[in-house]
Amino acid sequence: MPELSYPLWSSAPEPALLASRDRAGGELVFPALPPSSPLADRHETVAVDAVGEVYSYTVIHPSAKSGEAPYALGYVDLPGPVRIFGRLCGKPRPAIGERYAVRPDERFGYVFVAVQH
């Protein structure tokens, strides 16, 4: 995974995805702003809740030559609120409103995994 100029995960025993919260208005920005950003002083780095609901998604069907199976990409609304785009794993076809949890991933940095009821 390439080195990022901003923190993606907290260093807590249970890692949490990080975002930046505007100190004045409370709006969350993902990913967290790097310390070198001109806006960094106006924001604080905060952990976002790990579980949210699918807002929208699409299923990608890669070329047969790629050898990759179809996969879903979508937006997940996490409390805060913050809407994050990523790969949806754990089900062949997600549904709007289903609950997904964000998890670390070696290849993509993070993925969303279907929450079993």
Side-chain angles (χ1 to χ4, degrees), residues 84-100:
I84 300 177
F85 183 78
R87 191 174 278 231
L88 304 175
C89 304
K91 295 180 90 177
R93 190 171 208 70
I96 305 295
E98 283 185 330
R99 295 173 51 80
Y100 275 70

Side-chain angles (χ1 to χ4, degrees), residues 42-58:
R42 292 182 27 198
H43 291 79
E44 63 181 326
T45 301
V46 297
V48 296
D49 287 342
V51 179
E53 294 183 356
V54 174
Y55 170 77
S56 179
Y57 73 92
T58 189

Side-chain angles (χ1 to χ4, degrees), residues 3-28:
E3 188 66 31
L4 301 173
S5 62
Y6 53 86
L8 190 59
W9 292 95
S10 71
S11 58
E14 283 286 324
L17 199 59
L18 298 174
S20 291
R21 182 185 310 278
D22 184 283
R23 294 178 196 276
E27 180 181 10
L28 287 175

Side-chain angles (χ1 to χ4, degrees), residues 61-108:
H61 297 272
S63 163
K65 292 178 184 178
S66 74
E68 275 193 71
Y71 58 90
L73 295 174
Y75 287 99
V76 175
D77 284 341
L78 298 172
V82 63
R83 182 174 288 159
I84 300 177
F85 183 78
R87 191 174 278 231
L88 304 175
C89 304
K91 295 180 90 177
R93 190 171 208 70
I96 305 295
E98 283 185 330
R99 295 173 51 80
Y100 275 70
V102 64
R103 298 286 183 255
D105 183 80
E106 287 286 323
R107 184 173 175 196
F108 303 111

